[in-house]
Amino acid sequence: MLSFATSPVSVRQRTIGFGALTLLGLTTLLGFAFARVPLPGVDVFVPMVAAAVIVLGLVMCLIVAGQALVARNASLAVFAGSFITGVFMVVPQILIYRLGGERGWIGAGNVSSVWSWIFAQILEAASIAVYLWFDTRSIRRLTAREIWRLLIAVVVVASVAAGALGSLAIFGTDVLPTIAYATGVVKNVTAERIFVLLIVVRLGILVAAAIVTRGRTVLNLWLIVVLAALLGDVLITLTAGMRFSVGWYLGRIEDLLAVGAMSIAYLIELTTTSAGLAELATIDGLTGVGNRRLYDDRLLTAYRNAIRHEQPLGLVLIDVDHFKSFNDAYGHLAGDDALRVIARVMKESLGRSVDIVARVGGEEFAVLLPASDEAGALVVAERIRRGIEALAIPQAGAPAGVLTVSLGATSLAADDSTSSFAARADAALYRAKALGRNRTVTSSGRLGGLPRLCKIAGSRHHNRQAK
């Protein structure tokens, strides 16, 4: 599928995802044991992590938005907005922390930073909840214009919500409860209720994502991983109870690594999908062998390698005999079936992985044989001819009574260009047709084995079909 975000998750992807979940779980458990251990304060740590989160968030937003446009999927457009939400909620933290831990640039410093973090957790969870709601709805496939409108609307809503909550955290500390985090969490009812609510929200959205999506797609699988990491971030951060402790550092790093791992996983899937599409672009849709594009590319590559390493190179051109008459007599569907079977025989007749068979025309094929001289090309060509003749596909009016092929074989000469090399194989094929078809001729004039008559076998095959 063009959109890996909506395609089923593979066993390999699921294994990687569960491995990441296991690693996150072990990291969280280890963090609990050392969460309150103080560490030296690094003033630039928060701006550095915030900058990385912004970059990764924007990358993920672009990737998911692109997948939404490819799949015309409304829920993906909403999901892209969740990353924008995270990006916007990081900005107040940068403003608050400035380049130092305790001194705030604007706002009430410590209180503003705590509330900014709380609002970021809640707003991100809310955006994921909206995505899950959309994911459970059977929404028709939108047009590209509708997807763009939805993306713009999501970005506007996310920016307004993030701006409002960020401004409240910075300038609204007079109306917000005081929650200190520099030397330990204030033990008051308000703080305890807020942090319990935060844990419940994070745990609830993780459970909801697991139940609703079941990790069926790459996107949903890594969504569960990220939500688990964010829950671990909340638990470790609250357990630490103070800034510049093991738990505090670990919470920031765990959050960053989760989003980073998700970005890497998505980029790998994009690369894999692109490679798959590139491979499909070189495959003939009817027969499953290479197409003309693959043949032209591999011919040039094989020619250059043969010249550079002074190695032989064989080429066989193949044409199905009287194929137009076959289509007229039996129909194009039968003709397509015959081409598929013929292509399969060609592939099975090749003895090495470096050998290539491609469909270069309607009923024309080419076989490229690196490190093979004319004698080797003749052997392969005769193996193909006999294999196709042995299929005994009935063809009324054909000399052998069955569908056959004519073949021209050659090998690379010292003064050959790619065009002259292919032209000599084509001339040999033309000579094979002139001599009566159903035979192989090389450019040096050598003939393959005499074709055997298959009228009896063809008649039997035709009789079996009639019955």
Coordinates of all heavy atoms in Angstrom, one line a residue, residues 357-411:
V357 N 15.3 -11.9 -16.7 CA 14.3 -12.1 -17.8 C 13.4 -10.9 -17.7 O 12.9 -10.5 -16.6 CB 13.5 -13.4 -17.7 CG1 12.8 -13.6 -16.4 CG2 12.5 -13.5 -18.9
A358 N 13.1 -10.3 -18.8 CA 12.2 -9.1 -18.9 C 11.3 -9.2 -20.1 O 11.7 -9.7 -21.1 CB 13.0 -7.8 -18.9
R359 N 10.1 -8.6 -19.9 CA 9.2 -8.5 -21.0 C 9.4 -7.1 -21.7 O 9.2 -6.1 -21.0 CB 7.7 -8.6 -20.5 CG 6.7 -8.6 -21.7 CD 5.3 -8.6 -21.1 NE 4.3 -8.5 -22.1 CZ 3.0 -8.1 -21.9 NH1 2.6 -7.8 -20.6 NH2 2.1 -8.1 -22.9
V360 N 9.9 -7.1 -22.9 CA 10.3 -5.8 -23.5 C 9.3 -5.4 -24.6 O 9.5 -4.3 -25.2 CB 11.7 -6.0 -24.2 CG1 12.7 -6.2 -23.1 CG2 11.7 -7.1 -25.2
G361 N 8.2 -6.2 -24.8 CA 7.2 -5.8 -25.8 C 6.0 -6.6 -25.5 O 5.9 -7.3 -24.5
G362 N 5.0 -6.5 -26.4 CA 3.7 -7.3 -26.2 C 4.0 -8.8 -26.0 O 3.6 -9.3 -25.0
E363 N 4.6 -9.4 -26.9 CA 4.9 -10.9 -26.8 C 6.4 -11.1 -26.9 O 6.9 -12.2 -27.3 CB 4.2 -11.7 -27.9 CG 4.6 -11.4 -29.3 CD 3.8 -10.2 -29.9 OE1 3.1 -9.5 -29.2 OE2 3.9 -10.1 -31.2
E364 N 7.2 -10.1 -26.6 CA 8.7 -10.1 -26.8 C 9.3 -10.1 -25.4 O 8.9 -9.3 -24.5 CB 9.2 -9.0 -27.6 CG 8.6 -8.9 -29.0 CD 8.9 -7.6 -29.8 OE1 9.5 -6.7 -29.1 OE2 8.6 -7.5 -30.9
F365 N 10.3 -10.9 -25.2 CA 11.0 -11.1 -24.0 C 12.5 -11.0 -24.2 O 13.0 -11.2 -25.4 CB 10.7 -12.4 -23.3 CG 9.3 -12.5 -22.8 CD1 8.3 -12.9 -23.7 CD2 8.9 -12.2 -21.5 CE1 7.0 -13.0 -23.3 CE2 7.6 -12.3 -21.1 CZ 6.6 -12.7 -22.0
A366 N 13.3 -10.7 -23.2 CA 14.7 -10.7 -23.3 C 15.3 -11.3 -22.0 O 14.8 -11.2 -20.9 CB 15.3 -9.2 -23.4
V367 N 16.4 -12.1 -22.2 CA 17.1 -12.7 -21.1 C 18.5 -12.2 -21.2 O 19.2 -12.4 -22.2 CB 17.1 -14.2 -21.2 CG1 17.9 -14.9 -20.1 CG2 15.6 -14.7 -21.1
L368 N 19.0 -11.6 -20.1 CA 20.3 -11.1 -20.0 C 21.2 -12.0 -19.1 O 20.7 -12.4 -18.0 CB 20.3 -9.7 -19.3 CG 21.5 -8.8 -19.5 CD1 21.8 -8.6 -20.9 CD2 21.3 -7.5 -18.8
L369 N 22.3 -12.4 -19.6 CA 23.1 -13.5 -18.9 C 24.5 -13.0 -18.7 O 25.4 -13.1 -19.5 CB 23.2 -14.7 -19.8 CG 21.8 -15.3 -20.2 CD1 22.0 -16.4 -21.3 CD2 21.1 -16.0 -19.0
P370 N 24.8 -12.3 -17.6 CA 26.1 -11.9 -17.2 C 27.1 -13.0 -17.1 O 26.7 -14.2 -16.7 CB 26.0 -11.2 -15.9 CG 24.5 -10.8 -15.8 CD 23.8 -11.9 -16.5
A371 N 28.4 -12.8 -17.5 CA 29.4 -13.8 -17.5 C 29.1 -15.1 -18.2 O 29.4 -16.2 -17.8 CB 29.8 -14.1 -16.0
S372 N 28.4 -14.9 -19.4 CA 28.0 -16.1 -20.2 C 28.3 -15.8 -21.6 O 28.0 -14.7 -22.2 CB 26.5 -16.3 -20.0 OG 26.1 -17.4 -20.8
D373 N 29.0 -16.7 -22.3 CA 29.4 -16.5 -23.7 C 28.2 -17.0 -24.6 O 27.1 -17.4 -24.1 CB 30.7 -17.2 -24.0 CG 30.6 -18.7 -23.7 OD1 29.5 -19.3 -23.5 OD2 31.7 -19.4 -23.7
E374 N 28.5 -17.0 -25.9 CA 27.4 -17.4 -26.8 C 27.0 -18.8 -26.7 O 25.8 -19.1 -26.7 CB 27.9 -17.2 -28.3 CG 26.8 -17.4 -29.3 CD 27.3 -17.2 -30.7 OE1 27.3 -16.0 -31.2 OE2 27.7 -18.2 -31.4
A375 N 27.9 -19.7 -26.4 CA 27.5 -21.1 -26.1 C 26.6 -21.3 -24.9 O 25.7 -22.0 -24.9 CB 28.8 -22.0 -26.0
G376 N 26.9 -20.5 -23.8 CA 26.1 -20.6 -22.7 C 24.7 -20.0 -22.9 O 23.7 -20.5 -22.4
A377 N 24.7 -18.9 -23.7 CA 23.4 -18.3 -24.1 C 22.6 -19.2 -24.9 O 21.3 -19.3 -24.7 CB 23.6 -17.0 -24.8
L378 N 23.2 -20.0 -25.8 CA 22.5 -21.0 -26.6 C 21.9 -22.1 -25.7 O 20.8 -22.5 -26.0 CB 23.4 -21.6 -27.6 CG 22.9 -22.6 -28.6 CD1 21.7 -22.1 -29.4 CD2 23.9 -23.2 -29.5
V379 N 22.6 -22.5 -24.7 CA 22.1 -23.6 -23.8 C 20.9 -23.1 -23.1 O 19.9 -23.8 -23.0 CB 23.2 -24.0 -22.8 CG1 22.6 -24.9 -21.7 CG2 24.4 -24.7 -23.5
V380 N 20.9 -21.9 -22.6 CA 19.8 -21.3 -21.8 C 18.6 -21.1 -22.8 O 17.5 -21.4 -22.5 CB 20.2 -20.0 -21.2 CG1 18.9 -19.3 -20.5 CG2 21.2 -20.2 -20.1
A381 N 18.9 -20.6 -24.0 CA 17.8 -20.4 -25.0 C 17.1 -21.7 -25.3 O 15.9 -21.7 -25.4 CB 18.4 -19.7 -26.2
E382 N 17.9 -22.7 -25.5 CA 17.3 -24.0 -25.9 C 16.5 -24.6 -24.7 O 15.4 -25.2 -24.9 CB 18.3 -25.0 -26.3 CG 18.7 -24.9 -27.8 CD 17.5 -25.2 -28.7 OE1 17.0 -26.3 -28.7 OE2 17.0 -24.3 -29.3
R383 N 16.9 -24.3 -23.5 CA 16.2 -24.8 -22.3 C 14.8 -24.1 -22.3 O 13.8 -24.7 -22.0 CB 17.0 -24.5 -21.1 CG 16.4 -25.2 -19.8 CD 17.2 -24.7 -18.6 NE 18.6 -25.0 -18.8 CZ 19.6 -24.3 -18.3 NH1 19.4 -23.2 -17.6 NH2 20.9 -24.7 -18.5
I384 N 14.9 -22.8 -22.6 CA 13.6 -22.1 -22.6 C 12.7 -22.5 -23.7 O 11.5 -22.8 -23.5 CB 13.9 -20.5 -22.7 CG1 14.6 -20.0 -21.5 CG2 12.6 -19.8 -23.0 CD1 15.1 -18.6 -21.6
R385 N 13.2 -22.7 -24.9 CA 12.4 -23.1 -26.0 C 11.8 -24.5 -25.8 O 10.6 -24.7 -26.0 CB 13.3 -23.2 -27.3 CG 12.5 -23.4 -28.6 CD 13.3 -23.7 -29.8 NE 14.1 -24.9 -29.6 CZ 13.6 -26.1 -29.8 NH1 12.4 -26.3 -30.2 NH2 14.4 -27.2 -29.6
R386 N 12.6 -25.4 -25.3 CA 12.0 -26.8 -25.1 C 11.0 -26.7 -23.9 O 10.0 -27.4 -24.0 CB 13.1 -27.7 -24.7 CG 14.0 -28.1 -25.9 CD 14.9 -29.3 -25.6 NE 15.8 -29.0 -24.5 CZ 17.0 -28.6 -24.6 NH1 17.5 -28.3 -25.8 NH2 17.8 -28.4 -23.5
G387 N 11.2 -25.9 -22.9 CA 10.3 -25.8 -21.8 C 8.9 -25.3 -22.2 O 7.9 -25.8 -21.8
I388 N 9.0 -24.3 -23.1 CA 7.7 -23.7 -23.6 C 7.0 -24.6 -24.5 O 5.8 -24.8 -24.5 CB 8.0 -22.3 -24.3 CG1 8.5 -21.3 -23.2 CG2 6.7 -21.8 -25.0 CD1 9.0 -20.0 -23.8
E389 N 7.8 -25.3 -25.4 CA 7.2 -26.3 -26.3 C 6.5 -27.4 -25.5 O 5.4 -27.9 -25.9 CB 8.3 -26.8 -27.2 CG 7.7 -27.7 -28.4 CD 8.8 -28.2 -29.3 OE1 9.9 -28.5 -28.7 OE2 8.6 -28.3 -30.5
A390 N 7.2 -27.8 -24.4 CA 6.6 -28.9 -23.6 C 5.3 -28.5 -22.9 O 4.6 -29.4 -22.4 CB 7.7 -29.3 -22.6
L391 N 5.0 -27.3 -22.8 CA 3.8 -26.9 -22.2 C 2.6 -27.3 -23.0 O 1.5 -27.5 -22.5 CB 3.7 -25.3 -22.1 CG 4.6 -24.7 -21.1 CD1 4.5 -23.1 -21.2 CD2 4.3 -25.1 -19.6
A392 N 2.8 -27.5 -24.3 CA 1.8 -28.0 -25.2 C 0.5 -27.2 -25.2 O -0.6 -27.7 -25.1 CB 1.5 -29.5 -25.0
I393 N 0.7 -25.9 -25.2 CA -0.5 -25.0 -25.3 C -1.1 -25.0 -26.7 O -0.4 -24.6 -27.6 CB -0.1 -23.5 -24.9 CG1 0.5 -23.5 -23.5 CG2 -1.3 -22.6 -25.0 CD1 1.1 -22.1 -23.1
P394 N -2.3 -25.5 -26.9 CA -2.8 -25.7 -28.2 C -2.9 -24.4 -29.0 O -3.3 -23.4 -28.5 CB -4.2 -26.3 -28.0 CG -4.2 -26.8 -26.6 CD -3.3 -25.9 -25.8
Q395 N -2.5 -24.5 -30.3 CA -2.6 -23.3 -31.2 C -2.9 -23.9 -32.6 O -2.1 -24.4 -33.3 CB -1.4 -22.5 -31.2 CG -1.6 -21.2 -32.1 CD -0.4 -20.3 -32.1 OE1 0.7 -20.7 -31.7 NE2 -0.5 -19.1 -32.6
A396 N -4.2 -23.8 -32.9 CA -4.6 -24.3 -34.2 C -4.0 -23.6 -35.3 O -3.8 -22.3 -35.3 CB -6.2 -24.2 -34.4
G397 N -3.5 -24.3 -36.3 CA -2.8 -23.7 -37.5 C -1.4 -23.5 -37.4 O -0.7 -23.2 -38.4
A398 N -0.8 -23.6 -36.2 CA 0.7 -23.5 -36.0 C 1.3 -24.7 -36.5 O 0.8 -25.8 -36.4 CB 1.0 -23.3 -34.5
P399 N 2.6 -24.6 -37.1 CA 3.3 -25.8 -37.6 C 3.4 -27.0 -36.6 O 3.2 -28.1 -37.0 CB 4.6 -25.3 -38.0 CG 4.4 -23.8 -38.2 CD 3.3 -23.4 -37.3
A400 N 3.6 -26.6 -35.3 CA 3.8 -27.7 -34.3 C 2.5 -28.0 -33.6 O 2.4 -29.0 -32.8 CB 4.8 -27.3 -33.3
G401 N 1.4 -27.2 -33.9 CA 0.1 -27.5 -33.3 C 0.0 -26.9 -31.9 O -1.0 -27.0 -31.2
V402 N 1.1 -26.3 -31.4 CA 1.2 -25.8 -30.0 C 1.9 -24.4 -30.1 O 2.5 -24.1 -31.1 CB 1.9 -26.7 -29.0 CG1 1.2 -28.0 -28.9 CG2 3.3 -26.9 -29.5
L403 N 1.7 -23.7 -29.1 CA 2.4 -22.4 -29.0 C 3.9 -22.5 -28.8 O 4.3 -23.3 -27.9 CB 1.8 -21.5 -27.8 CG 2.0 -20.0 -27.8 CD1 1.4 -19.4 -29.1 CD2 1.5 -19.4 -26.6
T404 N 4.6 -21.8 -29.6 CA 6.1 -22.0 -29.5 C 6.7 -20.6 -29.5 O 6.0 -19.6 -29.7 CB 6.7 -22.8 -30.7 OG1 6.3 -22.1 -32.0 CG2 6.1 -24.2 -30.8
V405 N 8.1 -20.5 -29.4 CA 8.8 -19.3 -29.4 C 10.0 -19.4 -30.4 O 10.5 -20.5 -30.6 CB 9.3 -18.9 -28.0 CG1 8.1 -18.5 -27.1 CG2 10.1 -20.0 -27.4
S406 N 10.4 -18.2 -30.9 CA 11.7 -18.2 -31.6 C 12.7 -17.3 -30.8 O 12.3 -16.4 -30.1 CB 11.4 -17.5 -33.0 OG 10.5 -18.3 -33.8
L407 N 14.0 -17.7 -30.9 CA 14.9 -17.1 -30.1 C 16.2 -16.7 -30.9 O 16.6 -17.5 -31.8 CB 15.4 -18.0 -28.9 CG 14.2 -18.6 -28.1 CD1 13.8 -20.0 -28.6 CD2 14.6 -18.7 -26.6
G408 N 16.8 -15.6 -30.5 CA 18.0 -15.1 -31.1 C 19.0 -14.9 -30.0 O 18.7 -14.2 -29.0
A409 N 20.2 -15.5 -30.0 CA 21.2 -15.4 -29.0 C 22.5 -14.8 -29.5 O 22.9 -15.0 -30.6 CB 21.4 -16.8 -28.3
T410 N 23.2 -14.1 -28.6 CA 24.5 -13.5 -29.0 C 25.3 -13.3 -27.7 O 24.8 -13.5 -26.6 CB 24.3 -12.2 -29.7 OG1 25.5 -11.8 -30.3 CG2 23.8 -11.1 -28.8
S411 N 26.5 -13.0 -27.9 CA 27.4 -12.6 -26.8 C 28.1 -11.3 -27.1 O 28.2 -10.9 -28.3 CB 28.4 -13.7 -26.5 OG 29.3 -13.9 -27.6

